């Protein structure tokens, strides 16, 4: 007999010897108890309807999950969620009426002046007025600034300057160092940092 | 009458058939329970509870030929339930000496039993259940794991650890004993 397996071969007999004793004297007690008890009907057992052994064997074969790893993972998720909430709370609040849920106003040109029209109420307000001929008003993506062009000169073919004002049209500032030609449109970069 | 037929009849409510099954298995269950719990009174309660559940829930057993493994499972679970209750509410019990030498015991057989008994004493009830289910009741490790609701790898590692303890005992206490070292469960 191989020494490596001898202990395993001897164990069944050793265990039988260790547990050897007189025959149990309580068999009749068990039978009296069971004779007085009713069996549960078969339909109440899920095992009668489902192959439970497949589930239990799969459960037993499943790898052991470390509760410590689960706790670390939960902590990591908590930190990430907290960081996301904090980052969200730090975003710049937009002034009325340009909050994300607000109805937007539509800028338009009339007679060389810039107006903002409210599509809900139908009312308009002047954004940029004056003797200059302004055109192509464009709100920045966050609605806080307004870009537009202004004609320069008096000839029929005019160069233009690009201006940026506050969202309400105040404080217009020229951003082109010198007049430019052949500009048919302007637009904001997606981050709203500059017009182009 | 063969066991399968007895189980089928008992499942239909024939208590006499169930009594035959009980007579055939009670001694083995009693030994297993005493090995696991190391307490004769608790073992008696566990076997009674296991066999009572067997009668009550017999109609849940789909395959009659698995009756033995199913009753082992019910009894071992009853043992572990009782052990848990015993841990929650400490009670005084008489420590039973599991074995004693008899006149015709060879000296090395006594030594081997002492070594195994010492290791079994140090294991908890679940560890002892693994040993008993696998080596005494003859269930394969996959079924032992299912029975105890633990992964097969856990059952295997606990069994190997217990065997390792037994080998260490042999090395310490009886270098010349016939219980030799080595072997793992693959």
């Amino acid at each position: 007999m191989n020494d490596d397996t001898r202990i395993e071969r001897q164990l069944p007999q050793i265990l039988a010897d260790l547990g050897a004793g007189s025959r149990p004297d309580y068999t009749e007690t068990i039978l009296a108890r069971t004779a007085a008890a009713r069996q549960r009907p078969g339909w109440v057992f899920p095992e009668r309807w489902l192959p439970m052994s497949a589930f239990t064997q799969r459960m037993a074969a499943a790898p052991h999950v470390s509760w410590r790893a689960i706790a670390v993972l939960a902590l990591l998720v908590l930190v990430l969620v907290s960081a996301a909430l904090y980052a969200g709370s730090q975003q710049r609040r937009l002034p009325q009426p340009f909050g994300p849920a607000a109805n937007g106003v539509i800028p338009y040109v009339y007679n060389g002046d810039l107006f903002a029209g409210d599509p809900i109420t139908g009312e308009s307000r002047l954004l940029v007025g004056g003797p200059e001929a302004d055109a192509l008003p464009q709100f920045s993506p966050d609605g806080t600034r307004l870009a537009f062009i202004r004609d320069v000169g008096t000839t029929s073919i005019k160069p233009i300057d690009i201006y940026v004002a506050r969202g309400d049209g105040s404080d217009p500032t020229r951003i082109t160092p010198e007049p430019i030609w052949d500009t048919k449109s302007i637009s904001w970069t997606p981050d709203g940092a500059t017009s182009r | 009458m063969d066991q399968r037929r007895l189980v089928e009849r008992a499942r239909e409510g024939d208590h006499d058939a169930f009594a035959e099954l009980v007579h055939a298995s009670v001694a083995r269950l009693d030994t297993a329970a005493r090995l696991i719990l190391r307490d004769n009174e608790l073992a008696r309660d566990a076997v009674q509870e296991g066999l009572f559940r067997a009668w009550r829930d017999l109609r849940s057993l789909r395959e009659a030929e698995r009756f033995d493994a199913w009753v082992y499972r019910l009894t071992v679970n009853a043992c572990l339930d009782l052990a848990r209750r015993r841990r929650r509410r400490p009670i005084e019990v008489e420590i039973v000496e599991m074995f004693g030498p008899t006149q015709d015991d060879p000296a090395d057989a006594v030594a081997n039993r002492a070594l195994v008994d010492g290791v079994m004493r140090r294991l908890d009830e679940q560890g002892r259940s693994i040993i008993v289910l696998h080596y005494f009741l003859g269930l394969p490790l996959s079924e032992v794991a299912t029975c105890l609701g633990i992964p097969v790898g856990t059952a295997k590692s606990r069994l190997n650890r217990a065997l390792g303890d037994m080998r260490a005992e042999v090395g310490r206490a009886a270098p010349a004993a016939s219980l030799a070292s080595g072997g793992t469960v693959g």
Side-chain angles (χ1 to χ4, degrees):
Chain A
M1 187 186 295
N2 185 343
D3 281 354
D4 285 352
T5 59
R6 190 178 297 176
I7 188 169
E8 293 175 53
R9 294 189 187 197
Q10 289 187 3
L11 261 178
Q13 186 55 50
I14 292 173
L15 290 171
D17 291 344
L18 282 176
S22 56
R23 189 169 178 78
D25 57 1
Y26 52 86
T27 310
E28 295 310 316
T29 309
I30 296 171
L31 294 176
R33 190 179 166 203
T34 52
R38 291 179 61 181
Q39 288 182 314
R40 293 162 74 187
W43 59 265
V44 302
F45 300 105
E47 293 92 332
R48 296 289 288 177
W49 308 95
L50 299 168
M52 297 300 283
S53 58
F55 293 116
T56 52
Q57 278 167 12
R58 197 172 304 149
M59 210 168 63
H64 176 65
V65 178
S66 161
W67 289 110
R68 187 174 297 175
I70 290 175
V72 169
L73 195 64
L75 198 62
L76 195 63
V77 169
L78 191 65
V79 168
L80 288 174
V81 168
S82 302
L85 287 175
Y86 177 76
S89 70
Q90 295 303 303
Q91 285 196 338
R92 190 158 46 101
R93 286 180 182 278
L94 301 177
Q96 292 290 346
F98 301 112
N103 291 314
V105 294
I106 298 173
Y108 66 92
V109 182
Y110 178 73
N111 223 7
D113 294 332
L114 306 181
F115 293 85
D118 189 324
I120 304 297
T121 63
E123 293 177 356
S124 290
R125 59 189 165 88
L126 180 67
L127 291 173
V128 180
E132 299 89 354
D134 299 324
L136 299 181
Q138 298 282 327
F139 279 118
S140 61
D142 64 2
T144 59
R145 286 175 293 169
L146 178 73
F148 59 95
I149 63 170
R150 176 168 286 172
D151 287 348
V152 179
T154 54
T155 57
S156 57
I157 303 173
K158 304 179 181 80
I160 57 104
D161 277 322
I162 299 177
Y163 281 74
V164 173
R166 296 181 193 277
D168 60 2
S170 64
D171 199 17
T173 304
R174 194 181 70 202
I175 61 170
T176 44
E178 57 186 37
I180 55 177
W181 298 84
D182 296 330
T183 297
K184 293 186 174 60
S185 68
I186 58 173
S187 62
W188 289 88
T189 54
D191 62 0
T194 56
S195 64
R196 59 186 177 183
Chain B
M1 190 179 299
D2 69 354
Q3 190 194 51
R4 183 193 172 88
R5 183 75 194 115
L6 285 171
V7 173
E8 287 169 351
R9 281 180 50 188
R11 205 161 50 189
E12 290 160 8
D14 183 342
H15 192 263
D16 291 339
F18 182 72
E20 279 195 54
L21 293 168
V22 169
H23 283 296
S25 61
V26 68
R28 198 164 174 74
L29 294 174
D30 181 74
T31 302
R34 283 190 293 112
L35 284 168
I36 292 170
L37 291 167
R38 304 184 66 83
D39 181 303
N40 289 351
E41 293 304 313
L42 280 181
R44 168 196 296 251
D45 291 346
V47 174
Q48 289 197 35
E49 187 57 29
L51 287 170
F52 177 76
R53 289 181 198 171
W55 167 252
R56 189 191 59 187
D57 299 342
L58 191 54
R59 288 175 182 163
S60 71
L61 181 65
R62 283 153 59 107
E63 302 159 65
E65 60 273 14
R66 291 185 50 77
F67 177 79
D68 281 340
W70 183 66
V71 171
Y72 295 160
R73 178 179 180 168
L74 292 175
T75 305
V76 169
N77 282 330
C79 287
L80 296 178
D81 285 347
L82 284 172
R84 272 192 289 272
R85 262 181 265 164
R86 178 170 61 176
R87 274 197 295 275
R88 278 203 295 270
R89 187 167 54 84
I91 54 173
E92 288 186 9
V93 295
E94 182 186 357
I95 302 299
V96 177
E97 196 62 39
M98 291 298 292
F99 74 96
T102 56
Q103 291 294 330
D104 54 352
D105 264 342
D108 60 344
V110 174
N112 291 347
R113 288 213 300 264
L115 293 171
V116 172
D117 189 49
V119 172
M120 292 284 279
R121 193 190 295 272
R122 286 196 298 277
L123 293 173
D124 63 8
E125 287 85 0
Q126 193 187 62
R128 289 200 287 267
S129 298
I130 294 170
I131 299 269
V132 169
L133 282 166
H134 189 56
Y135 284 110
F136 180 65
L137 297 175
L139 296 189
L141 266 180
S142 59
E143 204 151 335
V144 172
T146 303
C147 184
L148 297 174
I150 59 176
V152 178
T154 303
K156 197 180 287 186
S157 65
R158 294 208 65 180
L159 195 58
N160 277 330
R161 204 156 54 228
L163 291 175
D165 286 349
M166 287 175 195
R167 290 195 294 272
E169 286 289 320
V170 171
R172 267 198 301 272
S178 62
L179 200 62
S181 63
T184 59
V185 179

